[in-house]
C-alpha cells in the first residue's frame, strides 16, 4: 500500500458536478493498493496516517482531530521506467483495491478520525490547497 499524504488548508472531490467529500485544515491522502496488501496492511496504514506528525508544531491528526480526505489513486503504482506509457501491473485490480481502501477509511474512523472520501471507479475532480507545502510518501 502506498499513500501520498499532504497537509491542506482545504481539499475536495467532485463527481459529476457534486462535491462528494471535502475538508478544511487537515490531511489529504492519495491511496494506492497493490496485489500483496491485506486487511492488516490497511490497519497499519490507517494508524500511520492518523499518527503521522506532519501538521504544524509536529502534531498529528490523532492529536488535533484534523479531518482526513482519502482518495483512491491506483496511479501511485504506475511504472514508467521503460518508456513514456506507464504500466499499471503493480496496482491491484479494482475488485481487490476497493475493499482495502474502504478498510483504511473504516480503520481511521474506528480510531476517531473524521474522514471524507472520493468515490471509487468514477472520474473525480480533486482539488487541494497545500499548506507548507508538506507532502510525505508512505510505503508499506
Amino acid at each position: 500500500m502506498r499513500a501520498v499524504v499532504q497537509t491542506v488548508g482545504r481539499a475536495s472531490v467532485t463527481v459529476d458536478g457534486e462535491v462528494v467529500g471535502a475538508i478544511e485544515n487537515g490531511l489529504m491522502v492519495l491511496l494506492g493498493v497493490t496485489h500483496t496488501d491485506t486487511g492488516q496492511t490497511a490497519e497499519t496504514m490507517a494508524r500511520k496516517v492518523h499518527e503521522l506528525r506532519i501538521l504544524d508544531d509536529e502534531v498529528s491528526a490523532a492529536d488535533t482531530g484534523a479531518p482526513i480526505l482519502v482518495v483512491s489513486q491506483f496511479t501511485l503504482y504506475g511504472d514508467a521506467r521503460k518508456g513514456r506509457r506507464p504500466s499499471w501491473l503493480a496496482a491491484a485490480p479494482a475488485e481487490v483495491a476497493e475493499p482495502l481502501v474502504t478498510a483504511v477509511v473504516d480503520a481511521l474512523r474506528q480510531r476517531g478520525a473524521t474522514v471524507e472520501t472520493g468515490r471509487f471507479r468514477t472520474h473525480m475532480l480533486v482539488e487541494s490547497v497545500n499548506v507548507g507545502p508538506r507532502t510525505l510518501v508512505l510505503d508499506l
Side-chain angles (χ1 to χ4, degrees), residues 4-64:
V4 175
V5 182
Q6 298 178 312
T7 55
V8 295
R10 66 181 179 275
S12 64
V13 177
T14 302
V15 176
D16 294 330
E18 173 192 358
V19 175
V20 297
I23 63 166
E24 291 187 5
N25 301 315
L27 300 176
M28 182 171 75
V29 179
L30 304 176
L31 184 63
V33 177
T34 193
H35 303 282
T36 56
D37 291 332
T38 64
Q40 183 58 50
T41 312
E43 181 67 36
T44 301
M45 182 60 80
R47 179 184 54 77
K48 294 278 274 186
V49 166
H50 198 227
E51 296 178 0
L52 187 62
R53 299 167 81 73
I54 193 174
L55 296 168
D56 289 341
D57 300 321
E58 295 184 5
V59 297
S60 67
D63 296 328
T64 64

Side-chain angles (χ1 to χ4, degrees), residues 80-104:
R81 289 179 289 181
K82 293 185 179 181
R84 294 173 293 152
R85 181 174 295 153
S87 164
W88 311 112
L89 293 175
E95 301 75 31
V96 173
E98 187 172 10
L100 289 171
V101 171
T102 299
V104 170

